[in-house]
Amino acid sequence: MLGHLRSGPSGPYLDGFAAALEQQGYGPETAVRYLRAAAHIGHVMAEQGAGLTDIDLAAFGEHLRTCRCPRAKGGRRNHHTIYGARLFRRHLVERGVCRSAAVGPTSAEPQLVADFKTWLRKHRGASDPTIDSMNLAAWNGTFVCGFLVCD
């Protein structure tokens, strides 16, 4: 299975990524999904004229909305694809291959979101990577109240 994945732009880094996933305790089924996502993002960045040093997760997310890549293997539009791409990018940053995301001015996180994150950790045992994958920064009080049926 890794043969055709290794032939793409992400290929030289897939064995190390696979080892890191195994070390972090990911099961084989999940690891395969994340490896496919890593291969997929490599092809997409190459098509956009970028290398693995400049992985743009937002551009990859946009690509997934209309993806018709023949080898995507179910990795077009599900949480495994984008999360696997995030993990792969983090792996490359840790190895010094990919640059860290530019840190720009950040707005303060709404208190409601901060409190919800604390609640998820305490009452649901959610880890920081899980909470980060939820993109809670995009939530606002109106949405949360509507979701929770607040007055």
Side-chain angles (χ1 to χ4, degrees):
M1 194 265 321
L2 285 178
H4 80 275
L5 298 180
R6 284 188 187 114
S7 66
S10 301
Y13 306 100
L14 290 181
D15 287 329
F17 183 47
L21 291 172
E22 183 179 23
Q23 183 181 18
Q24 293 170 30
Y26 286 99
E29 297 84 13
T30 302
V32 165
R33 289 182 182 115
Y34 292 171
L35 289 166
R36 285 184 179 142
H40 193 170
I41 197 169
H43 286 290
V44 171
M45 292 298 101
E47 287 172 9
Q48 294 180 356
L52 293 177
T53 58
D54 298 306
I55 290 178
D56 183 347
L57 293 172
F60 184 60
E62 286 298 315
H63 164 80
L64 292 176
R65 291 177 188 223
T66 58
C67 177
R68 297 289 176 244
C69 295
R71 289 190 169 249
K73 289 281 214 180
R76 292 186 177 103
R77 185 98 166 115
N78 65 53
H79 68 281
H80 290 292
T81 306
I82 195 68
Y83 191 69
R86 283 183 191 150
L87 287 178
F88 182 60
R89 184 182 184 288
R90 185 180 309 151
H91 173 76
L92 293 179
V93 168
E94 290 169 357
R95 301 300 173 280
V97 174
C98 185
R99 289 181 272 210
S100 297
V103 178
T106 58
S107 60
E109 183 174 73
Q111 189 60 45
L112 182 64
V113 173
D115 291 345
F116 185 56
K117 286 180 175 182
T118 300
W119 182 87
L120 285 169
R121 285 184 197 95
K122 181 177 180 180
H123 297 286
R124 294 292 178 242
S127 66
D128 287 333
T130 298
I131 292 170
D132 291 344
S133 74
M134 297 171 76
N135 193 22
L136 295 175
W139 291 25
N140 61 40
T142 304
F143 171 79
V144 173
C145 283
F147 181 74
L148 298 174
V149 192
C150 295
D151 289 323

